[in-house]
């Protein structure tokens, strides 16, 4: 995952993003679609696509995911989209984007 952290760190610095100085913490890799990286101390979470499960080009995949999160957030059951880091050579998966972290996972109730 460190190979994913370095491009994210460089992209944040190149964009002079206010969170460029945050330490990055990779969350355990559990899937094929994207990685999650916590920007420690900020309450922000980077969601870094690994691939498009629908076979979309990187820019179209970003636009699709952005639209999905903007629509889902209205209901209060999805993380709030705070911004996007558009495609750039530093971050080839490029479209690193940030969502507000909600804290802990919900506990499953026994039935």
């Amino acid at each position: 995952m460190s190979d994913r952290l370095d491009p994210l760190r460089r992209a944040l610095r190149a964009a002079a993003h206010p969170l460029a100085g945050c330490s990055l913490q990779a969350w355990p890799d559990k899937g094929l679609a994207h990685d999650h990286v916590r920007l420690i101390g900020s309450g922000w979470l980077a969601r870094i696509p690994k691939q498009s499960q629908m076979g979309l080009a990187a820019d179209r995949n970003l636009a699709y995911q952005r639209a999905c999160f903007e629509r889902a957030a209205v209901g209060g059951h999805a993380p709030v989209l705070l911004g996007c880091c558009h495609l750039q050579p530093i971050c080839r998966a490029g479209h690193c984007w940030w969502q507000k972290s909600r804290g802990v996972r919900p506990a499953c109730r026994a039935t």
Side-chain angles (χ1 to χ4, degrees):
M1 177 57 146
S2 67
D3 60 321
R4 300 289 249 173
L5 294 181
D6 291 336
L8 174 59
R9 186 175 289 111
R10 287 194 314 257
L12 287 167
R13 288 181 182 148
H17 195 279
L19 299 178
C22 287
S23 295
L24 304 178
Q25 177 188 36
W27 282 9
D29 188 2
K30 293 187 176 185
L32 299 173
H34 53 266
D35 290 319
H36 290 100
V37 177
R38 183 173 152 227
L39 284 78
I40 297 174
S42 70
W44 285 37
L45 182 69
R47 187 173 190 266
I48 306 170
K50 296 178 185 176
Q51 66 175 345
S52 168
Q53 293 174 305
M54 297 180 353
L56 300 173
D59 57 341
R60 293 196 62 203
N61 187 40
L62 174 62
Y64 174 78
Q65 290 187 41
R66 181 181 198 136
C68 288
F69 272 88
E70 286 172 343
R71 291 176 185 148
V74 174
H77 296 286
V80 176
L81 178 68
L82 297 173
C84 292
C85 179
H86 298 284
L87 300 172
Q88 53 185 289
I90 293 172
C91 201
R92 281 180 303 167
H95 36 286
C96 309
W97 48 289
W98 297 274
Q99 303 165 241
K100 181 102 176 179
S101 174
R102 299 254 180 175
V104 299
R105 286 188 215 172
C108 296
R109 291 188 279 183
T111 55

